[in-house]
Amino acid sequence: MAQEIERKYLLKDDSWRDLAPGTVYCQGYIATQDKVTVRVRIAGQQGYLTIKGPSVDCSRLEFEYPIPVEDAQEMLNTLCQKPLIEKIRYKVEWDGLIWEIDEFYGLNEGLILAEVELNDANQQISLPPWIGEEVSHHRKYFNSYLVKHPFSQW
């Protein structure tokens, strides 16, 4: 069983920018029902199909499978809710953990979030100096929410 334990934060400043190159991501949602999501993503030149269960505290079931990029593009074009999520993801190592910083574009332009995956929900972590308010429990910062309620409309 695949368990994702993740905490999500706003950022205080841009001092992280020179720490890692970014990768273009485009993702969409085939289904979001009863807090379960089916997502299609292209990250760089690789496609993925992901199924996520409901969040309980900071964790949820997550099953992710690589798929041909051509299949992912066709699913994004024909099966996914619009608008699609467009972002650049930067992976920054800090104190032994990988922080994924998402800079959103399109209808979510202006939003920048950082996520860190943990081994345990109670794991103690050292926050980088560019990390701001924790928003792990605020649904409006979930990508599946941003499809229906883009940041530009808040």
Side-chain angles (χ1 to χ4, degrees), residues 111-149:
L111 180 61
I112 303 175
L113 295 171
E115 303 173 347
V116 63
E117 288 199 23
L118 307 173
N119 296 319
D120 178 277
N122 297 314
Q123 181 176 343
Q124 297 297 311
I125 59 173
S126 170
L127 297 178
W130 28 265
I131 289 295
E133 176 188 355
E134 183 171 3
V135 293
S136 301
H137 296 71
H138 299 285
R139 180 164 170 68
K140 71 180 187 177
Y141 293 106
F142 288 17
N143 284 274
S144 58
Y145 183 90
L146 293 170
V147 169
K148 296 177 184 177
H149 309 281

Side-chain angles (χ1 to χ4, degrees), residues 9-21 88 90 92 94 101-105 110-114 128-132:
Y9 298 84
L10 297 174
L11 284 92
K12 293 189 217 187
D13 60 45
D14 284 345
S15 60
W16 57 269
R17 283 201 182 271
D18 293 331
L19 301 177
I88 296 178
Y90 305 86
V92 178
W94 180 269
I101 300 171
D102 289 341
E103 182 174 16
F104 292 84
Y105 291 96
L111 180 61
I112 303 175
L113 295 171
W130 28 265
I131 289 295

Side-chain angles (χ1 to χ4, degrees), residues 9-67:
Y9 298 84
L10 297 174
L11 284 92
K12 293 189 217 187
D13 60 45
D14 284 345
S15 60
W16 57 269
R17 283 201 182 271
D18 293 331
L19 301 177
T23 301
V24 174
Y25 278 54
C26 182
Q27 67 189 46
Y29 292 84
I30 294 173
T32 55
Q33 183 176 348
D34 298 326
K35 300 181 182 176
V36 173
T37 61
V38 179
R39 178 185 74 202
V40 176
R41 168 186 279 172
I42 296 175
Q45 296 300 313
Q46 178 61 58
Y48 297 93
L49 181 64
T50 307
I51 301 163
K52 293 188 177 197
S55 292
V56 178
D57 195 25
C58 292
S59 76
R60 60 185 165 181
L61 292 176
E62 177 183 59
F63 303 91
E64 184 167 78
Y65 307 97
I67 61 173

